[in-house]
């Protein structure tokens, strides 16, 4: 969380490009998103079931400068009104054309590879953990400060280079503001550098091939990846990445492949009738270094990472304003699963009512244990964008 005085100074600095854009060209779009919810969580104790009631929400203000066809800017500020109250800058970036090049600078999200929940090729932002909210409108929304240069090579082909500056963490910044340390900034050697290329072969069923490399300076690691995507009707994608450090070389094949991760998925969107559409998505994640047999009596503070996980999503869209879905993440190694049944109902333009019921099915030491607070839950809420 950024202190108020520093936050206001930073916001004023970041808004200057937006003011310049609005004066120079300009059409500025403003939107506000509010998401408020009430929920009941069940805590299944050994002898009885206890209920917990909670309420919270989130809000976001987004300013977009889009009147200039060669320059775009966006600033969005998000507030989390849950168990704690935080204010963060989600995005603050400018995109511009420089001849054939396209430059992006600021805080934003950039996703490499393919995948909704699991994406082994997302070597920058990371899309291989289980910390994902399956009830949100956007599963992976993390952003970071970066500069990227994009060069189109054809209709569906390009090459892109990216730089991620090393940023001080929140604790280091707070210690600096309190006078406990004199230098909160990490060394320049912690800089992240990457490059990727993407080519689409329209003559071969429109298959897209993407490959890239990223160097993580803070960990002194090198990661290469390969991603394939294609399909007509039934869409598919396959991705793999290999992270290597100095210890990966000269220590045998097992040590070399410890950083190997792979993911894949199938996706289909079909019109059942003029009023109903059906969406089916399946994804899987493979970690070479993970455990493939259930770990007995794991440390709760350091839960095991298993070698394979699965994701399933089935949804029906009815009359373009009602959506009913069933989503699940499965951990085959310990036989546990998280299952969510929910719906969203767009009552008015920008106003949506939603409900979801979630359940964890697993023993006390499993990835999705039901004997825990929040093992089962019911949440209802409203979302308004204006």
């Amino acid at each position: 969380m950024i202190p108020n005085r520093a936050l206001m100074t930073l916001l004023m600095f970041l808004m200057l490009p937006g003011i310049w854009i609005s004066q120079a060209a300009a059409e500025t779009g403003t939107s506000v998103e509010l998401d408020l919810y009430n929920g009941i969580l069940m805590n299944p104790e050994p002898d009885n079931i206890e209920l917990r009631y909670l309420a919270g929400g989130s809000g976001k203000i987004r300013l977009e400068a889009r009147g200039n066809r060669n320059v775009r800017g966006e600033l969005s500020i998000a507030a989390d009104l849950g168990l704690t109250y935080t204010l963060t800058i989600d995005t603050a970036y400018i995109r511009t054309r420089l001849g054939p090049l396209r430059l992006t600078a600021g805080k934003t999200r950039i996703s490499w590879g393919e995948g909704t929940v699991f994406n082994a090729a997302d070597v920058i932002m990371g899309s291989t953990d289980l910390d994902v909210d399956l009830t949100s409108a956007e599963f992976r929304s993390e952003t970071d400060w970066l500069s990227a240069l994009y060069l189109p090579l054809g209709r569906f082909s390009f090459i892109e280079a990216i730089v991620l500056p090393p940023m001080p963490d929140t604790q280091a910044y707070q210690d600096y503001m309190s006078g406990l340390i004199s230098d909160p900034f990490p060394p320049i050697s912690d800089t992240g550098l990457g490059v990727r290329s993407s080519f689409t072969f329209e003559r071969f069923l429109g298959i897209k091939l993407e490959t890239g490399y990223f160097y993580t300076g803070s960990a002194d690691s090198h990661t290469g990846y390969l991603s394939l995507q294609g399909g007509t009707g039934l869409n598919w994608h396959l991705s793999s990445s290999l992270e290597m450090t100095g210890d990966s070389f000269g220590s045998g094949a097992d040590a070399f492949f410890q950083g190997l991760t792979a993911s894949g998925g199938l996706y289909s969107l079909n019109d059942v009738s003029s009023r109903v559409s059906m969406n089916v998505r399946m994804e899987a994640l493979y970690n070479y270094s993970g455990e493939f047999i259930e770990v007995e009596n794991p440390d709760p503070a350091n839960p095991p990472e298993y070698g394979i996980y699965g994701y399933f999503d089935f949804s029906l869209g009815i009359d373009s304003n009602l959506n009913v879905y069933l989503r699940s993440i499965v951990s085959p190694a310990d036989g546990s699963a998280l299952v969510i049944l929910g719906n969203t109902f767009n009552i008015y333009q920008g106003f949506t009512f939603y409900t979801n019921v979630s359940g964890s099915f697993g023993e006390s030491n499993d990835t999705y244990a039901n004997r825990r607070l929040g093992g089962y839950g019911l949440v209802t809420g409203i979302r308004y964008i204006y």
Side-chain angles (χ1 to χ4, degrees), residues 229-311:
Q229 187 268 333
T232 55
L234 181 62
N235 300 288
W236 57 269
H237 61 85
L238 292 171
S239 300
S240 64
S241 62
L242 180 62
E243 181 181 6
M244 296 171 289
T245 63
D247 297 334
S248 302
F249 302 95
S251 301
D254 184 68
F256 183 81
F257 287 108
Q258 283 297 309
L260 177 64
T261 305
S263 64
L266 298 172
Y267 170 74
S268 177
L269 177 61
N270 302 288
D271 291 328
V272 179
S273 67
S274 59
R275 299 179 52 193
V276 180
S277 61
M278 180 178 66
N279 174 12
V280 180
R281 183 185 295 274
M282 294 178 290
E283 293 183 351
L285 176 70
Y286 167 84
N287 292 314
Y288 179 88
S289 59
E291 301 288 343
F292 292 87
I293 300 176
E294 182 177 4
V295 177
E296 300 292 340
N297 302 318
D299 181 5
N302 187 26
E305 179 181 6
Y306 288 109
I308 188 167
Y309 298 101
Y311 169 69

Side-chain angles (χ1 to χ4, degrees), residues 206-221:
I207 293 177
K208 184 178 78 170
L209 169 65
E210 182 179 323
T211 184
Y213 159 83
F214 187 72
Y215 171 71
T216 306
S218 58
D220 193 22
S221 65

Side-chain angles (χ1 to χ4, degrees), residues 94-109:
I94 293 176
R95 288 195 177 110
T96 183
R97 297 175 184 268
L98 302 173
L101 299 175
R102 301 174 189 175
L103 172 67
T104 299
K107 188 179 184 184
T108 185
R109 178 171 180 81

Side-chain angles (χ1 to χ4, degrees), residues 60 62 74-76 89-95 103-129 131-133 136-150 160-164 196 283:
K60 180 180 292 187
R62 179 182 287 111
E74 179 180 311
L75 171 66
S76 65
I89 298 173
D90 265 8
T91 59
Y93 67 87
I94 293 176
R95 288 195 177 110
L103 172 67
T104 299
K107 188 179 184 184
T108 185
R109 178 171 180 81
I110 187 166
S111 298
W112 290 5
E114 302 288 339
T116 301
V117 172
F118 296 131
N119 178 8
D122 188 8
V123 296
I124 298 179
M125 301 297 175
S127 296
T128 58
D129 60 84
D131 187 18
V132 55
D133 182 4
S136 64
E138 188 177 7
F139 296 157
R140 304 287 187 179
S141 57
E142 296 84 355
T143 61
D144 207 343
W145 294 96
L146 57 87
S147 296
L149 205 58
Y150 178 100
E160 181 179 43
I162 188 171
V163 177
L164 273 72
R196 69 163 170 166
E283 293 183 351

Side-chain angles (χ1 to χ4, degrees), residues 351-372:
F351 180 79
T352 302
F353 175 81
Y354 63 88
T355 304
N356 60 74
V357 179
S358 61
S360 297
F361 300 91
E363 298 176 352
S364 59
N365 293 325
D366 292 345
T367 303
Y368 295 106
N370 56 8
R371 295 285 174 179
R372 61 183 176 87

